[in-house]
């Protein structure tokens, strides 16, 4: 999934930069990932369990919840588990299967908070810097034009 500002805040000149720090944000499945979402939903329809085997870090946990969201849209009865592992050696895989846990929403929330901070501060700074350079370039061109 991706995050972006809701309209009109996703337009560069629609609002002052400081409004980006409180503007509404939307999470969505981008067009180039819709096939992945449809495939997950197709598979989830006939399942009883969803066992998530994603990287055992915060980003993996955030992706796990994205998979959960896609799958539970079509099958709300899924029993959801998470495998915890650090290598793909057979003993560790067996250990992970024997000790399935639950996804941790706190880790997902930590990733979402970082993503939101990155989006807000990155967009505000990039817009500020780009527009400042455009104004500066226009002034420079005007000055150069006056000297002719």
């Amino acid at each position: 999934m991706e995050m972006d500002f809701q309209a009109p805040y996703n337009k560069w000149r629609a609002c002052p930069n400081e409004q980006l720090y409180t503007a509404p944000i939307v999470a969505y499945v981008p067009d180039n990932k819709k096939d992945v979402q449809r495939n997950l939903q197709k598979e989830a329809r006939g399942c009883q369990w969803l066992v998530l085997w994603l990287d055992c870090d915060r980003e993996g946990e955030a992706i796990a919840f994205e998979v959960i969201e896609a799958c539970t849209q079509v099958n709300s009865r899924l029993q959801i588990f998470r495998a915890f592992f650090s290598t793909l050696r057979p003993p560790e895989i067996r250990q992970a299967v024997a000790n399935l846990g639950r996804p941790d929403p706190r880790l997902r929330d930590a990733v979402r908070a970082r993503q939101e901070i990155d989006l807000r501060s990155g967009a505000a700074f990039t817009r500020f810097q780009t527009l400042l350079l455009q104004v500066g370039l226009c002034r420079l061109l005007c000055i150069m034009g006056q000297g002719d």
Side-chain angles (χ1 to χ4, degrees):
M1 296 185 74
E2 292 184 9
M3 283 184 165
D4 201 356
F5 296 103
Q6 288 182 349
Y9 301 98
N10 57 352
K11 307 291 186 239
W12 272 54
R13 296 182 187 268
C15 66
N17 284 341
E18 59 270 13
Q19 286 184 8
L20 295 177
Y21 290 100
T22 57
I25 291 177
V26 62
Y28 64 95
V29 177
D31 289 340
N32 66 339
K33 300 285 191 248
K34 296 240 186 233
D35 287 343
V36 173
Q37 181 186 35
R38 280 190 289 273
N39 187 52
L40 287 169
Q41 290 176 335
K42 178 182 142 208
E43 295 299 326
R45 278 187 175 86
C47 293
Q48 294 177 339
W49 301 283
L50 173 62
V51 179
L52 300 153
W53 288 80
L54 296 147
D55 290 350
C56 287
D57 57 15
R58 286 181 177 188
E59 298 296 330
E61 203 73 4
I63 294 168
F65 277 93
E66 292 173 1
V67 171
I68 291 167
E69 183 179 328
C71 293
T72 56
Q73 285 176 359
V74 298
N75 185 348
S76 60
R77 298 174 316 280
L78 284 170
Q79 294 293 314
I80 300 167
F81 300 96
R82 178 89 158 93
F84 299 98
F85 60 97
S86 58
T87 69
L88 296 176
R89 295 183 3 235
E92 187 157 350
I93 292 171
R94 285 190 288 278
Q95 177 74 14
V97 169
N99 295 290
L100 295 174
R102 300 288 182 179
D104 187 344
R106 296 170 301 169
L107 295 177
R108 175 215 41 214
D109 293 345
V111 170
R112 284 187 181 169
R114 185 200 42 81
Q115 289 172 331
E116 184 176 329
I117 290 167
D118 288 352
L119 175 63
R120 291 182 187 284
S121 60
F125 182 73
T126 300
R127 289 180 190 187
F128 171 76
Q129 192 173 32
T130 301
L131 296 174
L132 183 67
L133 288 171
Q134 287 175 348
V135 169
L137 183 59
C138 287
R139 286 185 181 158
L140 180 62
L141 291 175
C142 288
I143 292 168
M144 290 174 61
Q146 291 175 357
D148 289 348

